[in-house]
Amino acid sequence: MSETAETLSPYERLGGADAVRRLVGAFYDVMERDPAYAELRAMHEEDLGPTRESLTGFFSVWLGGPREWLEKRGGFCIMSRHAKMNVTEATAGQWMDAMRHAIAEVGAEPALAEKMDKALTQLADAMAWGRKAR
Ligand code: HEM
């Protein structure tokens, strides 16, 4: 079978470890630089270094790449991790805008970019929705 969109993992289609690192770099760089994300930035620790490492590990696993990050942590639930963060519709929207910018910056092919956008939008929306439901 040839290596097509069906046989490659999303991780491979994006461009592997280097692309995931660039994705996460572009995401936090725009969050730090652009005042449109000030509210979202303020929710984070001043030092974004450890968070950059974490999100890189998370995306590797989420996209079907190497799973060391998850194994080292002994499991991870993305919803539980955000449950006490007071994610609002506004800040979830900022998160998605920054992520859209990063997905475009890394040059993801359109079909992959669309899938990532849909799946991440659902997650981010659910974080804000979960807060309202509590
Ligand atoms: C699809 C949606 C999201 C994904 C995949 C995601 C992923 C992550 C990951 C992997 C971490 C690191 C956790 C750790 O190391 O324990 C993290 C931390 C964090 N996330 Fe998210 N996140 C999402 C949405 C959001 C949203 C919508 C917000 C806020 C509106 C947010 C705010 C934060 C904050 C404040 C931290 C803690 C980092 C720090 O203190 O520097 N996240 N997120």
Side-chain angles (χ1 to χ4, degrees), residues 22-45:
R22 284 189 290 116
L23 176 79
V24 172
F27 174 76
Y28 286 116
D29 287 352
V30 78
M31 192 202 291
E32 289 209 277
R33 180 176 76 224
D34 188 333
Y37 305 108
E39 199 183 344
L40 177 62
R41 175 64 185 94
M43 292 174 73
H44 289 74
E45 294 291 331

Side-chain angles (χ1 to χ4, degrees), residues 27-28 31 39-59 62 69 73 76 78-79 81-82 85-88 90-96 99 119-125 127-128:
F27 174 76
Y28 286 116
M31 192 202 291
E39 199 183 344
L40 177 62
R41 175 64 185 94
M43 292 174 73
H44 289 74
E45 294 291 331
E46 198 176 331
D47 177 9
L48 285 175
T51 314
R52 283 177 189 258
E53 282 310 306
S54 261
L55 192 63
T56 305
F58 174 88
F59 267 118
W62 189 75
W69 177 79
R73 293 186 64 125
F76 179 77
I78 194 73
M79 296 307 293
R81 179 66 176 87
H82 290 80
M85 282 186 194
N86 200 26
V87 174
T88 61
T91 49
Q94 288 178 19
W95 197 99
M96 270 318 299
M99 185 49 66
L120 291 169
T121 299
Q122 283 201 338
L123 267 181
D125 279 356
M127 287 171 191

Side-chain angles (χ1 to χ4, degrees), residues 109-128:
E109 58 182 275
L112 178 61
E114 197 187 320
K115 278 215 162 188
M116 288 177 68
D117 192 314
K118 272 200 186 141
L120 291 169
T121 299
Q122 283 201 338
L123 267 181
D125 279 356
M127 287 171 191

